[in-house]
Amino acid sequence: MTRIVCRQLAPTLADLPGNHRQILRVIAEETSSGADILILPELITSGYVFKSADEVDACAITPADPLAAEWAAAIEGESIVVLGYAERGDDGRFYNGAMLLNANGVLATYRKAHLWDEEKLFFTAGSEPPPVVATRFGWIAVMVCYDFEFPEFPRRVALEGADLIAVPTNWPLVYRPDGERPPEWHLAQAAARVNRVVIACCDRTGTERGQEWTEGTAIFDQFGWPASAAGDGHRAAYEVDLTATRDKSFNPNNDLFGDRRPELYL
Amino acid sequence: MTRIVCRQLAPTLADLPGNHRQILRVIAEETSSGADILILPELITSGYVFKSADEVDACAITPADPLAAEWAAAIEGESIVVLGYAERGDDGRFYNGAMLLNANGVLATYRKAHLWDEEKLFFTAGSEPPPVVATRFGWIAVMVCYDFEFPEFPRRVALEGADLIAVPTNWPLVYRPDGERPPEWHLAQAAARVNRVVIACCDRTGTERGQEWTEGTAIFDQFGWPASAAGDGHRAAYEVDLTATRDKSFNPNNDLFGDRRPELYL
């Protein structure tokens, strides 16, 4: 069984050293107390509500930055950490990035391909699909927030063998009717169910320049049911056999992927 | 405003004349009392739980059958009717079919492309994508039950301009945790939201050879919220401006379709 943990944190806007210390502390805490896969929010190094490119510049790091090496060094045992960060590209551009690390260092990086709202003012969209990374716990795909609202993305990584989709996210609080779940949950529930993969969404907290967040951190099982939600507790945790996601059958006649009709899809 | 009505009916297994009379009655009833678009369940001419090809054979009709002309003739005014039926193909095969009619006759037909479980024993899968039909009320796409669990299908018809996806369905009752909605609702909610289209799912009722149904008939607005559900009443109805689905923007920086990255999709 693999223990997946999401920690719903608040970064401090434009405070890279302070955010770095929080990341180090949480990685050490969680990986030393049983988290096999720890997921932190989008842009947890920098905060989100930027007003200028200078603010991004002051926080952006490359994946080769010594800070990332410190995060890796803080990982206890064989655990995996996924987190979102503001990336400084070799091309001088900024990306809304994510990385997957183990104790040896950075195993994979990703640049958000679907940018939300004013992110477009500060970040360049990624031009590569999400990575699907072999780990001792199973195949882990990484995408960021708005990315997974395009059903083609969960589908792609599931077809490539992902058992778990790790989604660092910052969900701005949006309208929902009384009694309804966050709309992003419906999208995650559907993406989990139609692909039979586990999806772990790590949202943030902490009002920033007046922006409130959904605080909707949750882990969905491979049938689309919410398995754990942070609620008021800032933490979702779920223990699962990720290899169970590989059986895509419903019955002797139906298989989720075998039943696809790609020749009829655009 | 366009009034969409789904009638959650029970067909009688293998009783084409009896089912025909029910269809005639319901079409007349609903189109004379305000339904602009009336949707009936999958295989409403025949029932679902077949045990032999002979049973299908006894009920199957072509779209040119005089019965379909009678259904058209029963339509009051300019209304549209969508229903599922067992189709006898010119090739001698049987299809899990759907048709869209107005008072002038059959405007479009469709053959279910993703077959569920033992349907595969009796029906041939369709080889054409779902139709997207221009009507006075807007563009209506038609697909059947399991079809819409492949997110590529709602996406396809939405990209082709569908305002409404009409889904005749027979949802066999499946497990869901206490307090949860039918899993098909999550898929419909997500498909509606990520494509910003209205989705109307017309389920059936009436236990058949021991098979129970979800009785989950519901209409979802273009943001994915349930707008009307049959519940115990066997009828969902929702009045909506279908042209409102054509604005795919979230804000000045984001558009659901404009933000797609097809070069990154499989």
Side-chain angles (χ1 to χ4, degrees):
Chain A
M1 299 291 276
T2 294
R3 187 168 174 80
I4 304 166
V5 174
C6 295
R7 275 288 292 267
Q8 184 172 279
L9 304 170
T12 302
L13 186 65
D15 176 12
L16 180 60
N19 294 326
H20 171 60
R21 285 191 299 273
Q22 174 170 250
I23 293 166
L24 276 181
R25 178 175 53 77
V26 172
I27 288 176
E29 237 173 66
E30 293 289 356
T31 62
S32 66
S33 56
D36 295 313
I37 301 170
L38 170 65
I39 303 162
L40 303 183
E42 179 181 5
L43 291 176
I44 192 61
T45 53
S46 63
Y48 183 93
V49 188
F50 299 113
K51 288 293 178 209
S52 73
D54 284 348
E55 289 181 342
V56 184
D57 192 34
C59 284
I61 61 171
T62 73
D65 194 282
L67 297 189
E70 288 187 48
W71 302 333
I75 295 173
E76 195 76 30
E78 309 278 357
S79 302
I80 297 286
V81 172
V82 176
L83 60 79
Y85 71 111
E87 182 190 348
R88 181 186 310 281
D90 289 338
D91 55 8
R93 295 175 176 175
F94 302 122
Y95 297 91
N96 185 334
M99 59 171 68
L100 186 150
L101 311 97
N102 69 8
N104 297 321
V106 177
L107 299 184
T109 60
Y110 170 67
R111 293 166 167 177
K112 188 175 184 179
H114 305 85
L115 296 177
W116 179 255
D117 208 354
E118 297 201 346
E119 292 171 35
K120 293 187 181 182
L121 306 182
F122 304 114
F123 295 110
T124 300
S127 55
E128 297 293 329
V132 182
V133 187
T135 75
R136 61 184 283 114
F137 307 108
W139 292 83
I140 306 176
V142 179
M143 58 186 71
V144 179
C145 202
Y146 188 42
D147 277 330
F148 98 99
E149 303 196 16
F150 296 79
E152 295 89 348
F153 251 32
R155 181 65 110 199
R156 177 186 174 113
V157 298
L159 287 172
E160 290 178 333
D163 303 313
L164 165 68
I165 305 179
V167 189
T169 191
N170 284 186
W171 286 334
L173 186 61
V174 296
Y175 166 78
R176 59 183 197 255
D178 280 351
E180 289 286 347
R181 292 171 170 169
E184 297 87 351
W185 277 38
H186 293 297
L187 308 190
Q189 290 191 249
R193 190 172 183 91
V194 303
N195 295 299
R196 199 164 294 169
V197 293
V198 175
I199 300 188
C201 298
C202 189
D203 196 8
R204 62 164 287 174
T205 183
T207 305
E208 196 174 285
R209 286 181 169 156
Q211 177 65 58
E212 294 183 287
W213 311 95
T214 301
E215 302 183 343
T217 296
I219 304 171
F220 303 90
D221 74 18
Q222 68 265 36
F223 304 103
W225 307 119
S228 177
D232 295 332
H234 305 313
R235 189 166 181 283
Y238 177 47
E239 203 152 302
V240 61
D241 172 11
L242 283 175
T243 64
T245 64
R246 295 174 194 170
D247 174 7
K248 305 296 186 188
S249 71
F250 285 108
N251 58 54
N253 293 309
N254 289 105
D255 177 278
L256 266 176
F257 287 172
D259 288 339
R260 293 180 73 238
R261 302 288 306 275
E263 73 280 15
L264 300 180
Y265 305 154
L266 285 184
Chain B
M1 298 293 276
T2 294
R3 188 170 173 77
I4 303 167
V5 174
C6 295
R7 276 288 292 268
Q8 183 171 279
L9 304 170
T12 302
L13 185 66
D15 177 13
L16 180 60
N19 294 325
H20 171 60
R21 286 191 299 274
Q22 173 171 250
I23 294 166
L24 276 180
R25 178 174 55 76
V26 172
I27 289 177
E29 239 173 63
E30 292 289 356
T31 63
S32 66
S33 55
D36 294 312
I37 301 170
L38 170 65
I39 304 162
L40 304 183
E42 180 181 5
L43 291 176
I44 192 61
T45 53
S46 63
Y48 183 92
V49 188
F50 298 113
K51 289 291 178 210
S52 73
D54 284 349
E55 290 182 342
V56 184
D57 192 35
C59 284
I61 61 170
T62 75
D65 194 282
L67 297 189
E70 287 187 50
W71 302 335
I75 295 173
E76 195 75 30
E78 309 278 359
S79 300
I80 297 287
V81 172
V82 176
L83 60 79
Y85 71 111
E87 182 190 347
R88 180 185 310 281
D90 289 337
D91 54 8
R93 294 175 176 174
F94 301 122
Y95 296 91
N96 186 333
M99 59 170 68
L100 186 150
L101 312 97
N102 70 5
N104 298 320
V106 178
L107 298 184
T109 59
Y110 170 67
R111 292 166 167 177
K112 188 175 184 177
H114 305 85
L115 296 178
W116 179 255
D117 208 353
E118 297 201 345
E119 293 172 35
K120 293 186 180 182
L121 306 181
F122 304 114
F123 295 110
T124 300
S127 55
E128 298 292 328
V132 182
V133 187
T135 74
R136 60 184 285 114
F137 307 108
W139 292 83
I140 305 176
V142 179
M143 59 188 69
V144 178
C145 203
Y146 188 43
D147 276 331
F148 98 98
E149 302 195 18
F150 296 80
E152 294 89 348
F153 251 33
R155 180 64 110 199
R156 179 189 172 112
V157 298
L159 288 171
E160 291 179 331
D163 303 313
L164 165 68
I165 305 179
V167 189
T169 191
N170 284 185
W171 285 336
L173 186 60
V174 295
Y175 166 78
R176 60 184 196 256
D178 280 351
E180 289 286 346
R181 292 171 169 170
E184 297 87 352
W185 277 38
H186 294 297
L187 308 190
Q189 290 190 250
R193 189 170 183 95
V194 302
N195 294 298
R196 198 163 295 170
V197 294
V198 175
I199 299 187
C201 298
C202 189
D203 196 8
R204 61 164 288 176
T205 183
T207 303
E208 197 175 281
R209 287 182 167 154
Q211 177 65 58
E212 294 183 286
W213 311 95
T214 301
E215 302 183 344
T217 296
I219 305 172
F220 303 90
D221 74 17
Q222 69 265 36
F223 303 103
W225 307 119
S228 176
D232 295 331
H234 304 314
R235 189 168 181 280
Y238 177 46
E239 203 153 300
V240 60
D241 172 11
L242 282 176
T243 64
T245 65
R246 296 174 195 171
D247 174 6
K248 305 294 186 189
S249 71
F250 284 108
N251 57 53
N253 293 310
N254 288 104
D255 178 279
L256 266 177
F257 288 173
D259 287 339
R260 293 180 75 237
R261 302 289 306 275
E263 72 280 16
L264 300 180
Y265 305 154
L266 285 185

